[in-house]
Amino acid sequence: VGAWTANDIAHQAALEHNSAGDMGTTILAAILLPSGHFALVWVGDSRGYKVTPSGLVHLHYVHNLASEHLERGTFDGGEDEAKKARGANILTRSLGRPRGKLRLDGGPEAMRGHLAQGERLLLCSDGVWGEMTDEIIRTSVSSADRPATACSALLAAAYTRGAEDNISAIVAEIR
C-alpha cells in the first residue's frame, strides 16, 4: 500500500508539471541506529554500499537493465562492461509512472544490515557510482576523516570525471 501511495503522489506531481505525466523518480533511504543496525529501502538506480577497511560491499542491485542482466546471469561481461552496454541505464523500476506502466513487483525493495566501528554506510546516485570504480569510491570514503569530507571527495571526483547525471551522496557512521 505504501509503495502505491508514494507512486500515486509522484505521478500526480508529474501530471501537474508535465502534461504527458511521463516522468518519474527514484529513492534510496536508510535508517541507521546507534547500535549500528540499519535498514535500506529503494526503487531505482541509486546505490547503497557498506565501506569497510578491507573493501566496498554492494548492499543491493539497482533497478536498471544492466544490473538486472548481471543478477540473472544473462550478461557475459562484468559490471564495468555492463555499465557501458547500450540501454544499460534504462530504469526497470521507478516511482511516478502510471500504474499500468509501473513494475513495482510488490513495492520497493528493502534490506537490513549492521555497521561495525570503523565502517561507513554510503548512499549515492548513479552520477557518483556510474563514474568511478569501486576502488576509487572505497578510497574516497575510507580515507576521509569525517563523513562530510567523504561526501565532498566523492562529489569532486564525480565532477572531475564529467558525470552526466545527478550527483548526490550521503555517508554515515556510528560513533
Side-chain angles (χ1 to χ4, degrees):
V1 174
W4 286 118
T5 301
N7 184 71
D8 291 344
I9 291 169
H11 181 61
Q12 185 60 41
L15 290 172
E16 290 171 8
H17 297 286
N18 176 351
S19 61
D22 189 26
M23 61 186 226
T25 190
T26 64
I27 186 169
L28 170 61
I31 297 173
L32 175 60
L33 301 176
S35 65
H37 290 93
F38 66 86
L40 296 180
V41 63
W42 71 96
V43 172
D45 58 358
S46 291
R47 236 185 222 174
Y49 295 96
K50 184 166 143 176
V51 183
T52 70
S54 61
L56 187 69
V57 178
H58 293 234
L59 295 173
H60 60 88
Y61 279 98
V62 296
H63 299 131
N64 67 23
L65 286 179
S67 290
E68 292 202 2
H69 283 298
L70 286 169
E71 185 176 13
R72 284 190 222 118
T74 56
F75 187 80
D76 292 332
E79 182 179 0
D80 288 335
E81 293 83 20
K83 281 189 213 178
K84 298 173 192 167
R86 185 172 176 206
N89 63 335
I90 294 173
L91 291 176
T92 55
R93 296 191 202 187
S94 66
L95 293 178
R97 306 288 294 163
R99 286 192 184 204
K101 295 183 178 180
L102 180 70
R103 193 182 123 210
L104 270 180
D105 292 343
E109 292 191 68
M111 59 89 59
R112 290 185 268 180
H114 184 266
L115 285 184
Q117 284 294 119
E119 297 177 337
R120 290 180 168 167
L121 183 64
L122 166 63
L123 311 180
C124 63
S125 65
D126 58 330
V128 173
W129 66 259
E131 299 298 327
M132 293 182 263
T133 64
D134 284 357
E135 184 56 26
I136 293 170
I137 293 171
R138 186 195 68 76
T139 301
S140 297
V141 174
S142 61
S143 64
D145 60 340
R146 299 174 315 141
T149 307
C151 287
S152 295
L154 284 170
L155 300 181
Y159 282 121
T160 299
R161 284 165 177 74
E164 295 180 11
D165 208 340
N166 61 324
I167 302 171
S168 57
I170 297 172
V171 176
E173 65 184 9
I174 55 168
R175 293 187 183 233

